[in-house]
Amino acid sequence: MKVAVVCSGGLDSVSLAHVVAASGDLSRLISFDYGQRHSKEIDSAAACAKRLGVPHHVIDLRSVGASLTGSALTDDVDVPDGHYAEETMRITVVPNRNAIMLTIAYGIAAANGDDHVATAVHGGDHFIYPDCRPAFTEAFDAMQKAALDGYADVSLYTPFVRRSKADIVTEGAKVNTPFAETWSCYKGGEIHCGRCGTCVERREAFHLAGVEDPTPYEDPDFWIKAVEERGQG
């Protein structure tokens, strides 16, 4: 099997890359520059590709991202603090992002004789991001099989789609994923802020998985309050 992994450089996708590499099936990493607030994730993905000894394709989608306005990830909009909640984190949605990226990833995989495109979308994202839900990934895979019919047979691999981020930490730890060399924070400072939704989710995931979090945070204990407030909400 040859598996191309869509890798943002975050904890989820780098863990997936290491899981696939441990099975001997990793063929390449594919990353996208869509004009996001910072390049730290892409730097992390590049380091991962080098570490695992596979090609790294970085696709320039900045002109596309410039038209996908309104998101805190691409526009000059404040990133909200606190745990993921639909009313606050909707501002971090980049419309159709996964569909656009996966379409390109399928083309790259088909051109290079890969059998699968792997993406680390996971259960915790479902209620906020529509393109992380099983209904999307299943429909997208069917669409791409029709698009490549007679040319290539590429399938979508989503091992985490019905699992939690804590599960991803557990699986990543089994294959010695260097978590400190992944980047999750939406704000892109010198170190993880510890306050934005993805930092809170990251910190909580390590706690739930019972795995030591090697990540330095500007506010390392904010997640506790955020989780408590969410439970009271």
Side-chain angles (χ1 to χ4, degrees):
M1 287 292 179
K2 294 173 64 179
V3 181
V5 173
V6 177
C7 185
S8 68
L11 183 152
D12 305 338
S13 61
V14 172
S15 293
L16 177 58
H18 276 264
V19 168
V20 174
S23 69
D25 295 328
L26 182 64
S27 63
R28 70 195 72 254
L29 300 186
I30 304 171
S31 302
F32 297 90
D33 180 355
Y34 56 92
Q36 52 266 57
R37 296 175 74 99
H38 57 79
S39 62
K40 285 180 175 287
E41 275 192 322
I42 295 178
D43 293 341
S44 173
C48 180
K50 183 177 181 180
R51 185 168 59 245
L52 297 176
V54 295
H56 184 213
H57 305 257
V58 181
I59 310 303
D60 187 349
L61 289 180
R62 287 175 293 178
S63 61
V64 175
S67 298
L68 305 179
T69 57
S71 172
L73 303 193
T74 55
D75 282 0
D76 187 18
V77 177
D78 289 339
V79 175
D81 288 341
H83 210 300
Y84 276 113
E86 187 169 4
E87 64 274 14
T88 57
M89 297 307 292
R90 186 177 294 276
I91 193 65
T92 66
V93 172
V94 179
N96 231 30
R97 177 177 60 175
N98 281 353
I100 294 167
M101 293 178 181
L102 286 173
T103 297
I104 296 170
Y106 262 80
I108 294 172
N112 287 278
D114 294 331
D115 302 291
H116 298 282
V117 169
T119 179
V121 296
H122 69 88
D125 286 337
H126 294 169
F127 71 101
I128 297 171
Y129 302 122
D131 54 4
C132 290
R133 298 169 187 161
F136 165 79
T137 57
E138 291 163 8
F140 188 90
D141 189 40
M143 181 269 288
Q144 283 296 305
K145 286 188 179 299
L148 292 170
D149 184 39
Y151 178 79
D153 184 10
V154 181
S155 298
L156 188 60
Y157 180 47
T158 56
F160 302 145
V161 73
R162 289 182 170 85
R163 304 185 72 182
S164 70
K165 199 177 190 77
D167 292 330
I168 296 175
V169 170
T170 299
E171 294 304 312
K174 290 178 182 178
V175 293
N176 299 314
T177 302
F179 296 120
E181 297 177 39
T182 67
W183 186 270
S184 299
C185 183
Y186 283 154
K187 297 184 181 181
E190 287 298 316
I191 62 174
H192 284 68
C193 74
R195 299 180 64 90
C196 69
T198 190
C199 277
V200 170
E201 185 196 44
R202 178 187 175 109
R203 186 67 185 85
E204 182 186 19
F206 278 100
H207 172 73
L208 293 174
V211 174
E212 183 179 355
D213 185 355
T215 314
Y217 298 94
E218 291 180 10
D219 193 341
D221 297 323
F222 177 81
W223 73 278
I224 300 172
K225 178 182 177 183
V227 169
E228 288 176 349
E229 289 179 348
R230 185 189 186 194
Q232 296 167 3

